[in-house]
Amino acid sequence: MKPMLLFVSGIFVCLRLLAQEANPTPAPTPAPTPTPEPVRVRFSVFVWPSEGILMEDVTIPALPRAFYRTAAGNVPVRLTRNAATPLYDYTGDLPLVLYDIEEVWTDPPEDAPPEAEPTVELRPVPVIRARFPRNWNRVLLIVFPDRRADDGTLLTMPLPYDTDELQPGMARIYNGSEHPLVLEFPDTEHMVTLAPYQPIDFNPRGLTDSGFSRVFAYRRNERGDLEMVHTSRMFMDTETTNYFFLYPHGRRRIRILRVAGHPGEIGEE
């Protein structure tokens, strides 16, 4: 009897194993992916100016209308060349999208009564799409109206404009070139190296009392010697932020453009 008992016991063990394989223990339900917190950011849009000689037969493309979405609805953002908009408060997802509103009309169906009228649908058409880190609390969007991104929106360069570092009365210079630059402020005989695509912050009161500070920009040539690529005066407003953008102009020159100045309050300029 013992061999028979062992045989039967073995059968029951095999049956239990087969049952476990046929009805495996269900895997635990994965935890739901947490929804990211909405981004809260202040933004301003600076529209790049037209440059070069404008001939009589040259037309400057009109700037599109722009809106952004808030809980209260569509908020208009007025774009002007060579000027920054006021600061706007945005809460939502990224990327930050500014859009025009297109009217799409649809005729009544053929079997509609004679008094039926066409219907209209308001459709958003993206004109600016800006991607930037979620931890930025303020951003400056430099928009190039004559150039397009791959998705057809206006080419846009987001720049850090952080509230903690750049308060009214302070100044920031951003090196928009691919070369290190040496900046000299002759009023104070102060020189500083500015890395490519990096900003430098300073207090204008340490440079001048007149509101206009002289600045020289140098770049090292093939021999390693400093070669002047720009000289000008920068207007410093003690009541607003002062944001300057250095950018290449030809192979050997650099230009500087004041791209923003805000008193720090939403909607003020």
Side-chain angles (χ1 to χ4, degrees), residues 166 169-173 185 200-204 207 234 236 244:
L166 194 59
M170 295 293 292
R172 169 170 292 179
I173 300 178
F185 300 93
I200 179 175
D201 300 331
F202 58 92
N203 191 333
L207 300 177
M234 300 184 301
M236 303 289 186
F244 298 89

Side-chain angles (χ1 to χ4, degrees), residues 3-269:
M4 180 61 68
L5 289 174
L6 291 174
F7 177 73
V8 173
S9 299
I11 291 177
F12 279 116
V13 170
C14 291
L15 290 175
R16 282 198 299 269
L17 291 175
L18 290 174
Q20 291 176 2
E21 292 180 359
N23 300 283
T25 302
T29 304
T33 303
T35 303
E37 291 291 328
V39 171
R40 292 176 175 83
V41 64
R42 287 180 172 182
F43 74 93
S44 174
V45 182
F46 177 85
V47 181
W48 198 258
S50 297
E51 292 188 311
I53 300 175
L54 299 179
M55 309 301 291
E56 292 183 359
D57 58 345
V58 174
T59 58
I60 301 177
L63 296 176
R65 297 184 308 171
F67 302 84
Y68 79 102
R69 197 179 310 281
T70 69
N74 300 320
V75 176
V77 178
R78 183 176 180 181
L79 305 179
T80 306
R81 287 180 186 263
N82 200 20
T85 68
L87 287 166
Y88 293 93
D89 194 21
Y90 172 74
T91 300
D93 298 327
L94 289 180
L96 168 59
V97 177
L98 276 66
Y99 50 87
D100 195 354
I101 298 177
E102 178 182 58
E103 293 183 351
V104 181
W105 291 86
T106 303
D107 292 329
E110 295 182 358
D111 56 351
E115 64 273 12
E117 298 181 352
T119 59
V120 60
E121 176 189 359
L122 300 181
R123 182 179 301 171
V125 180
V127 295
I128 295 172
R129 183 176 279 109
R131 296 176 174 85
F132 48 87
R134 297 181 62 86
N135 61 347
W136 285 11
N137 56 35
R138 186 168 59 176
V139 59
L140 176 66
L141 306 179
I142 296 186
V143 173
F144 300 87
D146 304 323
R147 301 176 64 185
R148 298 280 174 172
D150 293 339
D151 61 2
T153 59
L154 301 182
L155 185 65
T156 301
M157 177 187 296
L159 296 181
Y161 196 20
D162 25 324
T163 305
D164 295 338
E165 301 295 334
L166 194 59
Q167 295 285 341
M170 295 293 292
R172 169 170 292 179
I173 300 178
Y174 185 90
N175 182 5
S177 75
E178 61 181 1
H179 300 285
L181 299 174
V182 176
L183 303 182
E184 178 185 10
F185 300 93
D187 296 339
T188 60
E189 299 182 355
H190 183 63
M191 300 183 72
V192 63
T193 299
L194 183 54
Y197 309 115
Q198 293 296 322
I200 179 175
D201 300 331
F202 58 92
N203 191 333
R205 295 182 180 88
L207 300 177
T208 178
D209 294 329
S210 65
F212 290 88
S213 176
R214 290 189 300 163
V215 60
F216 297 156
Y218 302 90
R219 195 174 71 191
R220 294 195 181 275
N221 57 25
E222 294 79 2
R223 300 185 303 274
D225 301 325
L226 289 179
E227 183 180 81
M228 184 181 295
V229 292
H230 178 81
T231 177
S232 67
R233 285 185 175 272
M234 300 184 301
F235 170 67
M236 303 289 186
D237 190 338
T238 59
E239 301 298 325
T240 70
T241 55
N242 298 271
Y243 206 131
F244 298 89
F245 185 71
L246 287 164
Y247 64 99
H249 184 72
R251 294 184 57 191
R252 297 288 184 180
R253 301 297 296 173
I254 292 289
R255 284 189 174 179
I256 190 168
L257 190 63
R258 191 173 192 271
V259 293
H262 297 95
E265 296 297 331
I266 297 176
E268 292 187 11
E269 181 63 39

